[in-house]
Amino acid sequence: MSPAWSYEANNSNGIKVVYPKSESSIEAVSTFLVGQVPINSNLTCNGQSVRVNQSGFFAHVVPLHYGANHFLLLDSDNGKTNDSRIDWTVFRKPPPKPISAQELKMEVQKPNYDLGVTSGNIISFVVRATPQAVVTVQLGPHQITLTPVPESRQSSNNDVAYGKTYRRYDLNESDLYKGSYRIADTDHFASIHPSYKLTCHNGNLSVLGKSAISTVEHLYIARTIKAPTVVRLGPGLARTTPLVEGVRVVIDGWSGENMRCVYSPNRHVWITKQNLIMESEKELPHNMLRMDKINPDTLVPQAVAQTINILDDSYGEKVCLPLSERLPYQIEQKLNPNCLIMRVYGVSADTDWITNEPKSNDKEGSIIDHVSWRQAEDNVYEVQVYLSGKRQWGYHANYDGTTLCLSIKHPPTTTADGTLRGLKICLDPGHGGSETGSIGCSGIHESQINFEIADKVKTYLEDLGATVIMTRNVQSDGPSLDDRVKIATDNQADFLVSIHNNALPDGRDPLKEHGTSSYWYHPQSMELAASLKKSVKEASGFLDLGSRYQNLALARATAMPSVLLEIGFMINPDEFTNLIDPQFQSKIAESIANGIKHYFYANNDSKQ
Ligand SMILES: [Zn+2]
């Protein structure tokens, strides 16, 4: 993890502050001055003693008041020279001022995007305006009165992730108004703008909302044009299974650039406009208002599932579902029972056969125990793939023409000599290029430390017989996150391990919060994440921050177990002292290689 603070103060003084940059603006209640002084310095900050570790590194937490905060760092043991003092200024931006009862003012906060809505959808209105007023919204023929929301019901969380903190002044009277409207069957809006009206003792005010609201009078059909196309459960919200290109979806609404796709009457997902190409909307008659009014013979994406075929390939085994067109799907992984569930939307069942290739029929060595199907609900076809091993090693879905294939990875096989021979491991040294990650106490960047450690892991793994693929081979390379995952997937790697070092946002304390942690996203990677964290933590001797679920690009790979490691904290002086030590780096690298080996040989039922 790394906030966007990769800059360094290159002053020639004996006191060096690498974070924050002087004259920078911070919104949190506190920050930390991170830097370096000559060994055995006696450093103070505004007269207060600063803890400096044996290598001369420090991270000193300072509270921030609104406006300019001045810090005088003084090294009293070197008091005779010019290098012994440094003035540092950090600004804390005051939060936005509330609207006072004396002002006549109204700011529309929501909706702030164009909306395409259908019957039953709820539109939320949020307005900041003069307290003790009557605020109404005119939406077509409807007038909605907004309700003042007491300040106590508003979030006052001042520790939002990575330095972005918004905290408003405490208020006796709220300037916040909220309301909502549910779209009715009889509503027909063609790009109308809500009109807001405020009435109070100071006078009246009218504001026309920027967001254009339309009722979706007919459905739109679109096709995905990118692989992977990111699919979300709400505009900007959590991800679900990404799609490949050429998948046809039904669209029944939008919020700004996010298009709402109908998977089933009970399941909507969102895809950005940039990932879709619209099919001619004239193909659908304009009087078709809703899904239930569509004639089954129109161009709505749909297919009938007949045979399910189980085939072998170089990756493992695949479950193939021939369809007449590319339809959307979601994949769910479960470890107990050990199975993968694939839901395909727009599909009705006429399945009489599940066929196996001869090799797969032979239970011995087959990854798939059995496959079953069910019609989960109207137009939702579900394939359940039960697996025979103790572990899952990866999967990916793709279309071959219009046949949907769920490929399941064959477990890599262990060897009698206990090495990693035959194993392909992808190592990702986090960040690189212009993306330098977090900054360490000396000004060195995380991307460099990550690379140095990953390079040593490579040597240990190769000594154990493994083939190692690096996502970047020189320190100047900086492939995108998607490209890093693609490198691992295209190479059919058996493991993907991303190596990082951590930092904290402003408002936190690097002397109290630090340690080793690991991150997984799919259940198949949970055990590996725990195994690697345990191994690295034992080697580092750092605090144990655990093994956690987190939505990180490098942990989202499905084709192999993939884990992101945060070895230590760049801004914790003691951890940083270790992280730049080549011997310590070797010890950590060895522990990562051994962690992979331990995981691989424990519970592996796929012996050669
Ligand atoms: Zn990082």
Side-chain angles (χ1 to χ4, degrees):
M1 273 166 275
S2 63
W5 55 6
S6 42
Y7 36 70
E8 179 181 352
N10 275 321
N11 59 71
S12 57
N13 281 341
I15 303 172
K16 183 175 173 187
V17 177
V18 301
Y19 181 84
K21 202 177 176 180
S22 189
E23 308 289 317
S24 63
S25 189
I26 286 170
E27 290 179 66
V29 294
S30 66
T31 185
F32 29 80
L33 301 175
V34 178
Q36 187 177 12
V37 285
I39 292 168
N40 295 325
S41 290
N42 187 8
L43 185 68
T44 58
C45 176
N46 289 353
Q48 197 191 356
S49 174
V50 174
R51 181 188 171 266
V52 177
N53 83 349
Q54 78 282 3
S55 302
F57 299 130
F58 64 88
H60 183 64
V61 176
V62 287
L64 297 173
H65 54 75
Y66 294 138
N69 294 260
H70 301 290
F71 303 102
L72 170 64
L73 290 115
L74 202 64
D75 180 357
S76 57
D77 282 1
N78 296 307
K80 305 276 185 309
T81 72
N82 287 335
D83 297 351
S84 64
R85 58 175 290 160
I86 193 169
D87 286 296
W88 219 248
T89 302
V90 178
F91 296 97
R92 179 167 172 221
K93 222 168 97 186
K97 276 207 158 97
I99 297 168
S100 78
Q102 281 68 49
E103 290 172 278
L104 186 62
K105 203 172 166 187
M106 185 160 54
E107 292 164 1
V108 178
Q109 300 200 323
K110 242 179 138 183
N112 49 358
Y113 295 112
D114 291 351
L115 298 177
V117 291
T118 50
S119 173
N121 287 170
I122 293 168
I123 302 178
S124 292
F125 299 95
V126 180
V127 167
R128 293 267 176 199
T130 309
Q132 292 185 335
V134 175
V135 179
T136 59
V137 185
Q138 193 71 38
L139 183 68
H142 311 291
Q143 192 183 71
I144 304 115
T145 303
L146 305 189
T147 312
V149 180
E151 201 67 20
S152 60
R153 276 167 56 190
Q154 297 168 33
S155 164
S156 62
N157 186 355
N158 61 7
D159 189 18
V160 186
Y162 289 106
K164 282 283 170 200
T165 305
Y166 299 94
R167 188 176 175 170
R168 299 175 65 87
Y169 286 117
D170 290 335
L171 269 188
N172 294 325
E173 295 166 318
S174 174
D175 64 346
L176 184 69
Y177 296 82
K178 288 183 178 178
S180 60
Y181 176 73
R182 182 193 286 265
I183 302 295
D185 269 343
T186 47
D187 286 327
H188 297 284
F189 305 147
S191 276
I192 62 162
H193 292 260
S195 169
Y196 300 83
K197 204 169 163 188
L198 175 146
T199 312
C200 69
H201 69 280
N202 285 349
N204 302 323
L205 191 64
S206 289
V207 170
L208 193 64
K210 287 196 177 73
S211 143
I213 297 175
S214 305
T215 48
V216 180
E217 303 289 328
H218 61 92
L219 298 167
Y220 297 81
I221 311 289
R223 247 188 355 260
T224 58
I225 51 173
K226 209 186 125 195
T229 285
V230 175
V231 182
R232 295 184 185 274
L233 299 175
L237 300 186
R239 291 161 185 254
T240 181
T241 309
L243 297 174
V244 295
E245 74 278 9
V247 175
R248 294 181 78 224
V249 289
V250 175
I251 287 164
D252 77 341
W254 56 85
S255 171
E257 298 288 284
N258 297 290
M259 309 305 280
R260 186 176 62 189
C261 306
V262 189
Y263 270 13
S264 78
N266 300 318
R267 175 50 60 97
H268 285 82
V269 298
W270 297 74
I271 299 176
T272 59
K273 220 176 188 172
Q274 292 73 24
N275 285 316
L276 296 169
I277 186 164
M278 305 296 282
E279 293 184 5
S280 170
E281 53 199 68
K282 291 195 180 67
E283 287 171 351
L284 283 174
H286 281 252
N287 60 1
M288 287 181 178
L289 288 176
R290 264 166 283 287
M291 197 68 179
D292 54 4
K293 290 187 182 167
I294 285 184
N295 181 324
D297 294 321
T298 57
L299 293 163
V300 169
Q302 56 182 23
V304 172
Q306 292 175 317
T307 313
I308 298 172
N309 301 310
I310 303 168
L311 306 167
D312 296 322
D313 68 10
S314 64
Y315 180 72
E317 290 165 25
K318 56 184 180 182
V319 178
C320 296
L321 186 67
L323 299 169
S324 51
E325 58 177 307
R326 293 188 176 195
L327 296 171
Y329 51 86
Q330 284 182 311
I331 294 154
E332 188 187 337
Q333 181 173 57
K334 284 185 176 169
L335 297 186
N336 191 16
N338 196 12
C339 68
L340 287 161
I341 296 166
M342 180 166 74
R343 290 183 193 93
V344 198
Y345 297 94
V347 176
S348 300
D350 185 26
T351 307
D352 289 331
W353 291 92
I354 298 177
T355 71
N356 287 34
E357 272 196 345
K359 190 182 149 221
S360 306
N361 259 331
D362 173 16
K363 272 277 163 59
E364 201 64 41
S366 175
I367 318 166
I368 296 171
D369 184 80
H370 69 282
V371 172
S372 61
W373 66 269
R374 69 182 187 119
Q375 189 81 50
E377 54 184 285
D378 288 356
N379 291 312
V380 184
Y381 184 79
E382 190 177 285
V383 182
Q384 297 150 340
V385 183
Y386 291 91
L387 303 167
S388 49
K390 285 181 191 150
R391 272 183 188 153
Q392 293 193 38
W393 282 90
Y395 67 91
H396 61 86
N398 205 348
Y399 270 101
D400 180 6
T402 57
T403 297
L404 178 58
C405 298
L406 175 62
S407 299
I408 299 154
K409 183 170 169 59
H410 201 286
T413 46
T414 56
T415 56
D417 58 2
T419 65
L420 300 182
R421 247 188 317 114
L423 215 60
K424 235 188 244 178
I425 297 163
C426 183
L427 291 178
D428 172 49
H431 311 283
S434 58
E435 222 268 85
T436 50
S438 54
I439 193 163
C441 301
S442 71
I444 199 170
H445 291 118
E446 183 202 337
S447 54
Q448 187 182 331
I449 304 289
N450 295 345
F451 187 87
E452 287 170 5
I453 295 172
D455 200 43
K456 292 182 169 70
V457 180
K458 179 176 186 278
T459 306
Y460 279 107
L461 288 173
E462 285 172 347
D463 286 350
L464 288 167
T467 303
V468 176
I469 302 134
M470 300 281 271
T471 57
R472 60 182 175 109
N473 275 311
V474 285
Q475 295 180 24
S476 57
D477 274 347
S480 73
L481 297 177
D482 281 351
D483 282 348
R484 292 168 196 246
V485 171
K486 196 173 181 314
I487 289 167
T489 305
D490 289 353
N491 280 289
Q492 293 200 358
D494 299 304
F495 290 96
L496 170 56
V497 180
S498 184
I499 292 167
H500 283 250
N501 283 286
N502 225 331
L504 287 169
D506 294 305
R508 307 269 286 268
D509 187 345
L511 297 180
K512 288 182 183 154
E513 298 174 71
H514 53 92
T516 299
S517 53
S518 68
Y519 300 86
W520 58 275
Y521 184 72
H522 298 288
Q524 67 183 12
S525 303
M526 196 164 46
E527 191 192 340
L528 175 64
S531 178
L532 284 180
K533 191 270 300 162
K534 185 170 180 284
S535 184
V536 174
K537 194 246 158 276
E538 279 167 14
S540 68
F542 295 167
L543 290 176
D544 189 344
L545 292 185
S547 177
R548 306 165 177 179
Y549 169 90
Q550 195 166 330
N551 179 11
L552 299 166
L554 268 294
R556 282 199 303 266
T558 65
M560 73 294 293
S562 48
V563 166
L564 187 144
L565 269 173
E566 296 277 6
I567 294 156
F569 276 71
M570 298 288 288
I571 54 172
N572 176 277
D574 296 340
E575 291 191 0
F576 178 72
T577 302
N578 282 312
L579 292 171
I580 55 173
D581 171 11
Q583 283 183 345
F584 181 87
Q585 290 180 350
S586 290
K587 194 163 76 169
I588 295 299
E590 192 180 11
S591 76
I592 294 171
N594 284 336
I596 291 172
K597 189 180 147 189
H598 183 263
Y599 169 84
F600 184 51
Y601 276 91
N603 294 319
N604 195 332
D605 43 19
S606 184
K607 297 205 165 39
Q608 211 172 48

